Amino acid sequence: MEIILLFLPLLASIISGFFGRYIGDRVSEIVTSLFVSISAILSIIIFYKVISVNYVNNIIIAEWINSGSLSVNWSIQIDTLSSVMLVVVTLISALVHIYSIGYMSHDSHKPRFMSYLSLFTFSMLVLVTSDNFLQLFFGWEGVGLCSYFLIGFWFKKEAANAAAIKAFLVNRVGDFGLALGIFLIFYLFGTVNYIDVFQQTPQLLNHEILFLGIRINSIDLICILLFIGAMGKSAQIFLHTWLPDAMEGPTPVSALIHAATMVTAGVFLVVRCSPIFEYSQLTLNLIIIVGTSTAFFAATVALVQNDIKKIIAYSTCSQLGYMFFAVGVGAYNVAMFHLFTHAFFKALLFLGAGSVIHSFNDQQDINKMGGVWNKLPYTWVLMVIGTLALTGFPFLSGFYSKDAIIEYAYLHTSGLGYYAAGVGILTAMLTAIYSWRLIFKTFHGSYNNGDLNIDKIHESPLVMLLPLVILAAGSLFSGFLFKDMFIEINLTQKFWGESIKFLTPLSTDHPPMWFILATPVIVTLAIPFSYYLFIKNKEILNNLIDLNRPLYDFLVRKWYFDELYDFIFIKTSKKIGLFFWKIIDIKFIDRFGPDGISNLIKYFSLKASKFQSGFIYQYAFMMLLGFSILLTFLILY
Amino acid sequence: MNFPILTSIILLPSLGALFLLFLKNDFSNDYKSSKYISIFVTFLNFLISLYIWYLFDTSNPDFQFVEEREWLKGFVNYKIGIDGISILFILLTTFITPLCIISVINTTKERLKEFLIAILIMESLMIGAFCSLDLVIFYLFFEGGLIPMFLIIGIWGGARRVYSAFKFFLFTLFGSILMLVAIISIYWLNGTTDIVKLYELSIDSKYQNLLWLAFFSSFAVKTPMWPVHTWLPDAHVEAPTAGSVLLAAILLKMAGYGFIRFSIGLFPVASDFFTPLIYILSLIAIIYTSLVALMQEDMKKLIAYSSVAHMGFVTLGIFTNTTHGLEGSIIQMISHGLVSAALFFCVGVVYDRVHSRIISTYGGLVSMMPKYAVLFMIFTLAAVGLPGTSGFVGEFLILLGTFHDNFLVATIASIGIILAAAYMLWLYKRVIFGKLVNKELLKIKDLKNFELIILIFLAIPTLLFGFYPEPLFNTIESSIKSLLEMYNYNLSLNINN
């Protein structure tokens, strides 16, 4: 069953990719959607087995690399962690496949698109079901590649191509860390299989190595390197710049890859490696700092963006920050819970945004929308549900997972923990404001699009709305239904089994009542506040912007990260490349090397040829000269 | 003595060439039959070498199929044989050559027969170099390969072909003269040039450093390593497609093979001593040429520079003194042989249509040439070293081995992986994606059948060995093991002295 689950998407991708031209658009759409849906059903069955009978399994498919002491297999490992990921990946993927049938209906490359989507699903499954670091790396690069293909899907758009390459390269920087982490793991443990590495970890606690001139604890170093990889994939601050640009891809891609699945791979990696990370307080603290910074940074940028997809992209970035600092405070299960609920409501928001964009004939600027809530009633309701869930409105899914993260940060009872909880609450407020800003500017107020008559705005077809409804159901109920299993303190150990390691059991205390109430109250109050700010009284907002122009620019320019990186890395590399080529290669090596030598020889032979002038008296003179020198020499010595 | 199967695969292409010599070079039946003969001969040679691989006993680390004949009475014997390392390079040679022939007979209009003869003789010499078990024999084959290559660049090349051909010749000749001196001195030191005997005798460690440097000068030029790499971009740019393919896929590999067989095998003490030098030059090659590749405007130059970077990984892996590093280097060489060959073929495809190698001429080819776009993408990704392609297995193992030896070197080398992605994907984007601006490209046709065959034949092993490299590991395993044992044994002897 696991093997069928894993290979159905690959098969679908091959059928659609290579034979799409012969079987037609409709058949490829149906084949890919059907196969991935079957995978989703199988995943749910496996998940159910895991819940009910604590099912674990490890299937070895084939040998991959066997060089010296390194031996790696292609394998499928099923445990609680991977089964949760299986459900998230295949379910969202199946819904996105179905949605794409409607969304891409005007595109002329449908089979190719569906093929990429299925291939992505396969790579993601390979990543989450791996039982060793190398197969994980394979899946890791595979999803990166599919992301590259899908971001650049509209290959005629220059911006899409640039974004695709940027995504690949920034991810490669992360991969650089991950690869070094894997090398170090192999160097220290002599194996890359999770189970062996995790078993041996406690033996290396006080082992130190000299790395690039720094003496550092080896477990700390492994964790930092792995975390760099996770930062790249999960778009954490400093390596986040690719995610907003990735919005150049078709919207279903953003929902699947850049919200629900691929970007959470980093969180998955850290949770998967909890048996190592638990021993590295240094890295966990680093993760808290990076996570909170990302959450805050991305939320502030999201406040002022005008592209509907970019707002949601920064929101994703911010929510990933939450997941990371949950990991940092040791609440791996809560991070996974937020990953799980986030997949539903963020996919819902993206697909809803896609529906809006579709209705507006590919318009993405929220300043050119507004007042269409009664034209797009279903989309509006669904988007509002998604927003409520995202902001953590009481009793929706985000409420359970996000508040739990903030609470566990508080219960961490350390300076960093309190700091994280504070930033968490502040960010929750910002989240609520920018999310409602999006809703109000998109659906309410006056209609602001001069290019398109408001009567032309139409609701999306059923094939697009149906997946949204399922996701909305997930956004509404997944928190409530699964909270006991994922984060209820007494059931946690039983549910997660061996797949997550807690060195110290999670705190069973409860934070004070005012603290628990703070977040829900703030996010609820944010609704009327945003309504007032963005619809009722825009004057205040404009005054605010005018007063704080530098700050506003700073946010609009996304804290100037792109400009900075362009200056430091891209321009410099190009300059150095040119210098090496034009100056060192051509002006130096060639000039003094081959060209120099041949010129030298030419020069001397030209000189030498002058002697052969053909005049006897010159020859006679030279003979005389030579003879007298020789004679002098002989006489003197 | 058994049937001299190795001699026959060395001689077979030359016999074919001899046969071609007597055919007329006009548009007659002879002209056609020269095509068939050359394809038949090279393909047959590939089948025979596959059969040798099949017969080859992978568990035996010794040289197999050894043939020995007296040649120059008393001091040089014609001695050939193969181990797990050489068989792979022979297979690579016999696999790439027929593909070159297919390309040549479909694209070359002038002096086709002579071109085919040059390639066939080249094949003989390259196979000979990979199975030589005597230094003098190796030298002859190794340097002999220069001559047909010189002619291929100088006669069928582009506008600046003469300059490039001479640059190529001078650079490589300079290195090899020192190697010849070293070979002669080895004869005077040990009384033999037989490699198997030299492995047993082991060369006095006080002479090793000088001898190592002499061999190094030859191999470094051919690899090519920084700073003696500048002949390669020029040679590639001017060479015809088939010439570039042979050069990148096989000629460069002779140097890597030479490092393993001679530098590591004969001079372990010196190899150990000079490892830092190799590390530094390899790192420079990886980073420096990657940055240079990034800025190239000529497709062939870009791929040529990327070859230097990839070979930098190879030299890095060879001197790590680890199983992973050495095995990775060999896999990387095989992989680079396939991938660089394919990339040069890819450039050849568009060059034949548009007659430009300048990147900015192109753009938006995907809508006109979808098949080409797919295959080009596969090789681009293999050059980037994405898991699932043969490029990944090699690079990963090399870095793993290097990491074992030196953290810093491995970390810097890993930056090369980021840069490789940058220049390859940027190249691909500028050629294949984007809007189709150049009007000339509107008439461009997708791959012809022969081009499709060549590229698919190269794509199959690239992907196969990415997912299942076991046949390669299995072949080289015992040879590498015994090589490393010998290496470390000699090192320990030297330390005890």
Side-chain angles (χ1 to χ4, degrees):
Chain A
M1 188 160 73
E2 287 85 351
I3 292 182
I4 298 173
L5 189 163
L6 183 65
F7 284 102
L8 268 183
L10 179 65
L11 189 66
S13 168
I14 291 171
I15 292 175
S16 176
F18 286 102
F19 306 104
R21 212 175 314 157
Y22 310 108
I23 57 175
D25 293 355
R26 190 38 53 95
V27 181
S28 351
E29 285 165 359
I30 292 173
V31 166
T32 47
S33 305
L34 184 72
F35 280 18
V36 176
S37 304
I38 295 173
S39 279
I41 293 168
L42 292 175
S43 310
I44 292 171
I45 294 174
I46 289 174
F47 184 57
Y48 181 75
K49 270 164 86 179
V50 170
I51 297 175
S52 52
V53 295
N54 280 331
Y55 173 74
V56 281
N57 199 355
N58 192 351
I59 302 164
I60 288 169
I61 303 171
E63 200 172 47
W64 182 18
I65 293 178
N66 189 357
S67 160
S69 50
L70 174 72
S71 148
V72 183
N73 294 318
W74 295 108
S75 58
I76 303 180
Q77 184 184 9
I78 301 291
D79 59 6
T80 313
L81 187 57
S82 55
S83 71
V84 170
M85 289 303 285
L86 281 182
V87 171
V88 170
V89 172
T90 53
L91 190 63
I92 307 286
S93 174
L95 295 173
V96 167
H97 271 80
I98 296 166
Y99 177 91
S100 304
I101 297 177
Y103 190 84
M104 301 299 281
S105 57
H106 305 305
D107 201 278
S108 51
H109 297 284
K110 276 169 265 186
R112 188 162 65 95
F113 183 75
M114 300 310 270
S115 169
Y116 288 161
L117 279 186
S118 300
L119 186 65
F120 167 79
T121 313
F122 169 72
S123 311
M124 194 69 204
L125 293 178
V126 169
L127 194 165
V128 298
T129 58
S130 168
D131 76 346
N132 61 68
F133 282 99
L134 212 57
Q135 185 185 331
L136 172 111
F137 193 71
F138 174 87
W140 193 267
E141 295 283 290
V143 291
L145 174 69
C146 296
S147 158
Y148 166 80
F149 283 145
L150 284 165
I151 296 169
F153 181 75
W154 287 316
F155 53 82
K156 285 184 183 158
K157 268 166 76 181
E158 199 54 41
N161 285 320
I165 291 189
K166 185 172 177 185
F168 198 89
L169 287 184
V170 176
N171 267 300
R172 275 253 145 169
V173 176
D175 298 346
F176 164 75
L178 178 60
L180 287 179
I182 296 174
F183 297 148
L184 186 61
I185 285 172
F186 182 73
Y187 174 73
L188 290 171
F189 298 101
T191 172
V192 291
N193 293 328
Y194 292 148
I195 184 155
D196 303 325
V197 173
F198 296 161
Q199 271 173 0
Q200 292 177 40
T201 307
Q203 298 160 13
L204 281 176
L205 287 188
N206 297 315
H207 185 270
E208 286 192 336
I209 49 172
L210 194 67
F211 185 77
L212 311 187
I214 305 162
R215 181 157 290 282
I216 185 170
N217 182 295
S218 25
I219 300 289
D220 284 343
L221 184 60
I222 290 178
C223 291
I224 290 171
L225 290 171
L226 292 180
F227 179 59
I228 292 173
M231 279 173 72
K233 206 54 80 206
S234 294
Q236 293 299 289
I237 194 162
F238 301 122
L239 294 179
H240 67 279
T241 53
W242 64 274
L243 185 61
D245 288 26
M247 296 302 124
E248 292 293 339
T251 310
V253 173
S254 315
L256 176 63
I257 300 185
H258 307 122
T261 55
M262 185 184 87
V263 288
T264 60
V267 182
F268 167 78
L269 171 70
V270 179
V271 176
R272 171 57 85 200
C273 298
S274 57
I276 315 179
F277 278 83
E278 275 295 86
Y279 292 104
S280 172
Q281 197 52 50
L282 177 72
T283 317
L284 289 178
N285 290 342
L286 181 72
I287 293 177
I288 297 179
I289 292 167
V290 170
T292 47
S293 310
T294 310
F296 176 72
F297 150 76
T300 58
V301 176
L303 278 178
V304 298
Q305 298 299 312
N306 288 320
D307 184 317
I308 185 168
K309 285 179 73 182
K310 287 216 167 139
I311 298 174
I312 310 179
Y314 275 106
S315 161
T316 306
C317 214
S318 171
Q319 298 302 311
L320 289 165
Y322 272 102
M323 293 177 212
F324 272 112
F325 79 72
V327 166
V329 297
Y332 301 96
N333 55 335
V334 185
M336 284 307 289
F337 189 42
H338 196 53
L339 189 159
F340 182 72
T341 58
H342 175 258
F344 289 105
F345 56 71
K346 195 47 69 64
L348 173 63
L349 281 174
F350 261 122
L351 294 182
S355 176
V356 172
I357 295 167
H358 197 66
S359 311
F360 274 93
N361 281 350
D362 299 332
Q363 180 57 257
Q364 302 197 2
D365 189 343
I366 54 170
N367 286 326
K368 295 189 174 164
M369 300 177 181
V372 291
W373 65 274
N374 50 1
K375 289 275 176 189
L376 305 168
Y378 300 111
T379 307
W380 175 66
V381 170
L382 294 165
M383 287 281 281
V384 168
I385 292 174
T387 304
L388 287 170
L390 166 66
T391 55
F393 193 76
F395 311 116
L396 270 67
S397 58
F399 167 72
Y400 293 103
S401 54
K402 192 190 288 181
D403 284 16
I405 291 178
I406 296 170
E407 280 166 31
Y408 275 108
Y410 181 85
L411 292 175
H412 194 242
T413 55
S414 63
L416 266 178
Y418 293 130
Y419 166 74
V423 174
I425 294 176
L426 179 64
T427 307
M429 186 183 79
L430 296 175
T431 307
I433 295 173
Y434 70 69
S435 303
W436 288 110
R437 171 176 177 262
L438 185 149
I439 292 289
F440 290 135
K441 287 196 122 183
T442 310
F443 292 104
H444 299 271
S446 54
Y447 184 75
N448 296 320
N449 193 334
D451 308 331
L452 191 70
N453 195 318
I454 190 163
D455 296 327
K456 293 257 178 69
I457 304 288
H458 55 90
E459 185 58 276
S460 298
L462 191 64
V463 70
M464 284 168 69
L465 289 176
L466 200 68
L468 289 182
V469 172
I470 298 174
L471 289 173
S475 311
L476 287 171
F477 307 119
S478 65
F480 176 72
L481 287 177
F482 291 97
K483 72 171 193 316
D484 292 341
M485 219 180 285
F486 277 77
I487 56 172
E488 176 57 44
I489 202 75
N490 301 319
L491 295 172
T492 298
Q493 199 59 53
K494 181 173 170 292
F495 175 67
W496 292 103
E498 294 290 309
S499 60
I500 295 181
K501 183 175 174 95
F502 297 101
L503 204 57
T504 47
L506 283 172
S507 166
T508 49
D509 295 343
H510 287 287
M513 204 48 167
W514 66 265
F515 185 83
I516 297 180
L517 284 178
T519 323
V521 168
I522 288 173
V523 300
T524 315
L525 288 178
I527 306 175
F529 175 72
S530 315
Y531 185 73
Y532 183 76
L533 207 60
F534 298 112
I535 298 292
K536 274 289 171 203
N537 198 343
K538 291 184 183 166
E539 284 301 307
I540 297 182
L541 190 68
N542 289 335
N543 289 339
L544 213 62
I545 291 174
D546 284 336
L547 274 177
N548 299 301
R549 185 53 69 177
L551 178 68
Y552 180 75
D553 284 341
F554 181 67
L555 294 181
V556 170
R557 308 295 300 175
K558 309 148 199 165
W559 292 30
Y560 295 101
F561 268 110
D562 281 330
E563 286 80 358
L564 198 69
Y565 284 178
D566 187 54
F567 180 73
I568 297 179
F569 297 113
I570 299 172
K571 292 226 172 80
T572 319
S573 312
K574 285 185 173 175
K575 265 187 204 150
I576 296 176
L578 267 184
F579 172 77
F580 281 162
W581 175 32
K582 297 274 188 197
I583 308 295
I584 298 195
D585 260 18
I586 294 176
K587 290 239 168 92
F588 199 79
I589 296 177
D590 272 0
R591 190 167 156 212
F592 295 106
D595 295 353
I597 290 171
S598 62
N599 284 340
L600 208 67
I601 292 170
K602 213 167 160 186
Y603 176 79
F604 279 114
S605 46
L606 271 178
K607 288 277 167 208
S609 71
K610 290 222 170 110
F611 280 120
Q612 285 143 40
S613 57
F615 297 110
I616 299 284
Y617 67 87
Q618 274 190 5
Y619 291 163
F621 175 69
M622 288 312 289
M623 271 172 75
L624 195 66
L625 197 68
F627 185 71
S628 46
I629 289 174
L630 208 67
L631 210 62
T632 323
F633 191 79
L634 280 175
I635 292 166
L636 284 179
Y637 301 97
Chain B
M1 196 169 207
N2 294 327
F3 179 73
I5 195 161
L6 287 179
T7 305
S8 51
I9 58 168
I10 295 175
L11 283 184
L12 190 62
S14 297
L15 284 178
L18 198 67
F19 201 80
L20 289 187
L21 205 59
F22 295 109
L23 294 175
K24 275 190 229 124
N25 195 8
D26 51 20
F27 287 88
S28 60
N29 282 337
D30 281 8
Y31 185 75
K32 243 185 194 162
S33 51
S34 70
K35 295 181 178 178
Y36 293 133
I37 289 168
S38 48
I39 289 191
F40 173 77
V41 165
T42 48
F43 188 66
L44 182 68
N45 222 19
F46 176 57
L47 290 183
I48 298 175
S49 55
L50 272 184
Y51 180 65
I52 296 177
W53 195 21
Y54 168 75
L55 289 179
F56 185 81
D57 176 10
T58 53
S59 58
N60 181 359
D62 293 333
F63 288 96
Q64 299 172 39
F65 305 101
V66 176
E67 297 167 30
E68 190 165 6
R69 280 188 188 73
E70 197 171 84
W71 182 39
L72 296 178
K73 200 168 170 62
F75 76 105
V76 180
N77 286 339
Y78 170 77
K79 184 169 181 181
I80 54 173
I82 52 172
D83 66 354
I85 303 167
S86 23
I87 178 75
L88 288 184
F89 289 101
I90 291 173
L91 278 166
L92 181 69
T93 312
T94 55
F95 177 69
I96 297 286
T97 315
L99 299 180
C100 284
I101 299 261
I102 294 175
S103 156
V104 164
I105 59 180
N106 281 293
T107 53
T108 307
K109 304 227 162 40
E110 278 175 23
R111 303 188 195 212
L112 173 69
K113 194 182 80 178
E114 285 81 359
F115 203 158
L116 293 174
I117 291 174
I119 294 181
L120 288 172
I121 290 180
M122 183 95 180
E123 184 182 12
S124 284
L125 295 170
M126 291 183 298
I127 298 173
F130 288 128
C131 29
S132 311
L133 288 185
D134 188 285
L135 286 172
V136 177
I137 302 290
F138 173 79
Y139 181 79
L140 290 177
F141 281 124
F142 185 76
E143 295 309 322
L146 284 181
I147 299 162
M149 198 65 223
F150 175 72
L151 294 175
I152 289 174
I153 297 174
I155 296 175
W156 292 275
R160 264 159 53 91
R161 57 179 182 258
V162 176
Y163 171 79
S164 299
F166 274 100
K167 198 171 179 184
F168 161 75
F169 202 82
L170 284 180
F171 255 111
T172 40
L173 198 68
F174 166 73
S176 43
I177 286 169
L178 291 176
M179 183 165 83
L180 182 64
V181 175
I183 290 174
I184 294 168
S185 53
I186 287 176
Y187 179 78
W188 289 117
L189 284 173
N190 285 49
T192 179
T193 50
D194 182 329
I195 294 165
V196 184
K197 280 187 197 149
L198 286 172
Y199 275 179
E200 282 161 10
L201 290 171
S202 79
I203 293 166
D204 196 338
S205 53
K206 65 185 171 203
Y207 300 114
Q208 279 195 16
N209 284 359
L210 265 181
L211 294 173
W212 188 93
L213 279 175
F215 274 79
F216 169 78
S217 67
S218 173
F219 297 146
V221 168
K222 267 223 168 114
T223 309
M225 294 178 82
W226 190 88
V228 282
H229 64 285
T230 57
W231 62 272
L232 187 76
D234 280 319
H236 271 308
V237 166
E238 299 307 326
T241 303
S244 290
V245 170
L246 287 175
L247 186 59
I250 307 165
L251 267 186
L252 304 189
K253 306 301 171 293
M254 284 203 212
Y257 174 79
F259 273 128
I260 297 176
R261 176 73 73 225
F262 304 110
S263 301
I264 295 279
L266 293 179
F267 320 117
V269 180
S271 294
D272 193 55
F273 179 76
F274 283 114
T275 297
L277 174 74
I278 293 275
Y279 278 179
I280 289 168
L281 291 182
S282 305
L283 284 184
I284 295 177
I286 292 168
I287 304 295
Y288 174 106
T289 47
S290 294
L291 285 169
V292 175
L294 199 61
M295 294 316 294
Q296 295 304 310
E297 290 136 17
D298 181 313
M299 292 161 86
K300 266 190 156 179
K301 264 201 177 164
L302 195 153
I303 299 169
Y305 274 110
S306 85
S307 287
V308 182
H310 280 118
M311 291 307 283
F313 277 103
V314 171
T315 45
L316 193 62
I318 290 173
F319 287 89
T320 53
N321 185 18
T322 58
T323 317
H324 304 121
L326 262 172
E327 294 195 352
S329 293
I330 291 168
I331 304 235
Q332 170 84 342
M333 278 195 268
I334 300 294
S335 160
H336 180 255
L338 299 167
V339 174
S340 64
L343 288 171
F344 280 118
F345 276 126
C346 283
V347 177
V349 166
V350 287
Y351 184 76
D352 288 338
R353 288 164 173 71
V354 189
H355 299 288
S356 167
R357 293 181 309 259
I358 305 302
I359 297 171
S360 54
T361 321
Y362 300 96
L365 284 181
V366 63
S367 36
M368 307 305 296
M369 310 175 74
K371 286 178 202 162
Y372 176 68
V374 171
L375 284 160
F376 195 177
M377 179 46 94
I378 291 175
F379 299 118
T380 302
L381 295 175
V384 170
L386 206 80
T389 63
S390 54
F392 170 72
V393 182
E395 263 174 24
F396 184 82
L397 286 177
I398 289 170
L399 290 173
L400 199 67
T402 314
F403 197 86
H404 202 86
D405 198 44
N406 190 321
F407 293 158
L408 180 65
V409 172
T411 308
I412 297 174
S414 302
I415 297 173
I417 293 184
I418 304 176
L419 293 171
Y423 62 73
M424 282 315 291
L425 290 180
W426 199 31
L427 167 73
Y428 188 83
K429 183 209 117 180
R430 287 180 290 171
V431 173
I432 302 289
F433 289 147
K435 275 207 187 74
L436 205 147
V437 183
N438 190 345
K439 289 275 182 324
E440 239 180 284
L441 299 179
L442 285 169
K443 310 189 292 268
I444 203 164
K445 294 257 174 15
D446 206 349
L447 296 178
K448 294 176 196 148
N449 282 337
F450 82 90
E451 293 163 336
L452 199 63
I453 288 171
I454 293 174
L455 292 179
I456 286 181
F457 266 104
L458 287 166
I460 290 169
T462 306
L463 294 176
L464 177 74
F465 293 141
F467 285 95
Y468 191 69
E470 188 52 32
L472 303 181
F473 285 123
N474 191 24
T475 310
I476 53 181
E477 200 177 355
S478 51
S479 301
I480 293 286
K481 199 167 157 237
S482 77
L483 183 67
L484 276 176
E485 271 168 10
M486 188 177 76
Y487 181 83
N488 286 320
Y489 173 73
N490 281 324
L491 276 190
S492 63
L493 275 187
N494 186 55
I495 288 166
N496 291 339
N497 290 343

